[in-house]
Amino acid sequence: DLEGEKIGHICMGGQDTAIPKVKIGVARDAAFCFYYADNLRLLEAAGAELCYFSPMDDGHLPKGIQGLLLGGGYPELYAKELSENLSMRQDIRQAVAQGMPILAECGGFMYLHKTIEDEAGRIYPMAGIIDGECSKGKRLNKHFGYITMTASRDNVLCKKGEQFTAHEFHYYNSTNDGHDFKAVKPVGGRNWITGNTTPTFYGGFPHIYFKGNEKVVYQFLDKCSNK
């Protein structure tokens, strides 16, 4: 019975052996609503079963997931609701502590900070994974536009020296942008350092475009399936 649980078959000695999918939890609600459709399609094509959930409304992470994707959006507009969902914040902290591979971009990255300042200047506790605070800037952050990112060390997405394409566009600032990638704009060469990583974690303001280096997808899913 395949029905969403298998991605195909390998013939081994005349036998048809099913390959189980890798289950990835994907945050998706009003607070986390920005994803490249291409990225989600590539994950599914590479063998991911996407399990959508709401960090605002669901009490817990989906059961049986092997990785976590926290996309962009507007957590600052829903900071109170996100902060009050204590069980979800605890689940995510536990997932990180247990080494679950996690990719957190922009809004998802903000959610993992100690605190977020909302539009009215109120401060709310968040997941507390990133040792830093997020606050609203007075204007669009100077780190914006299309970029190429080069890894300064091995991480959950790629090896040291490997590259992928991404973009930044945000008004909020972090006291801990990270230092594990060099981001370079294609015109003019302006560059900056960004991104927090470990062998099982990526968190940063840049939105990654998987088609800029599809190896990123396979490395992430390989980390998830080996956990």
Side-chain angles (χ1 to χ4, degrees):
D1 182 8
L2 303 184
E3 295 192 52
E5 294 297 324
K6 310 296 180 183
I7 60 172
H9 297 79
I10 298 176
C11 292
M12 301 177 63
Q15 296 184 341
D16 213 16
T17 303
I19 306 170
K21 283 192 172 183
V22 180
K23 293 186 177 182
I24 305 297
V26 181
R28 199 164 199 176
D29 57 20
F32 304 99
C33 54
F34 181 90
Y35 291 94
Y36 286 123
D38 281 347
N39 283 5
L40 300 179
R41 284 192 288 263
L42 276 171
L43 282 167
E44 290 179 319
E49 177 185 345
L50 304 184
C51 305
Y52 293 101
F53 71 99
S54 169
M56 284 200 300
D57 300 324
D58 294 335
H60 296 281
L61 290 172
K63 291 184 178 180
I65 60 172
Q66 299 157 274
L68 192 57
L69 181 57
L70 302 172
Y74 306 95
E76 68 276 13
L77 300 182
Y78 304 94
K80 182 176 185 292
E81 294 86 343
L82 291 168
S83 185
E84 289 177 347
N85 194 343
L86 299 177
S87 58
M88 178 60 72
R89 290 199 282 137
Q90 176 59 34
D91 272 13
I92 291 176
R93 285 194 296 270
Q94 184 175 358
V96 172
Q98 293 175 344
M100 179 182 291
I102 295 177
L103 196 170
E105 305 173 312
C106 205
F109 170 61
M110 291 169 58
Y111 174 57
L112 296 185
H113 281 64
K114 286 183 176 180
T115 63
I116 287 180
E117 176 189 15
D118 73 1
E119 294 281 285
R122 295 177 292 249
I123 307 296
Y124 290 95
M126 289 291 128
I129 306 303
I130 299 293
D131 185 16
E133 292 80 37
C134 281
S135 60
K136 185 179 180 182
K138 294 181 179 179
R139 58 184 63 86
L140 180 64
N141 189 282
K142 64 181 180 179
H143 296 163
F144 73 92
Y146 296 109
I147 53 178
T148 297
M149 296 177 65
T150 303
S152 60
R153 68 172 183 170
D154 293 353
N155 59 81
V156 68
L157 300 177
C158 61
K159 303 295 184 183
K160 180 179 179 179
E162 292 184 335
Q163 297 179 325
F164 50 75
T165 52
H167 93 274
E168 284 197 37
F169 190 94
H170 53 96
Y171 286 85
Y172 268 67
N173 301 311
S174 167
T175 59
N176 186 2
D177 276 349
H179 54 268
D180 294 333
F181 287 89
K182 182 178 182 179
V184 180
K185 291 181 68 67
V187 178
R190 189 161 64 88
N191 63 84
W192 57 91
I193 303 300
T194 189
N196 294 267
T197 70
T198 72
T200 57
F201 180 83
Y202 166 84
F205 276 118
H207 295 272
I208 300 165
Y209 187 54
F210 291 160
K211 283 198 171 183
N213 183 354
E214 294 186 16
K215 288 172 60 178
V216 167
V217 176
Y218 294 97
Q219 169 131 335
F220 180 67
L221 294 183
D222 183 61
K223 292 278 188 176
C224 296
S225 62
N226 287 334
K227 180 64 185 133

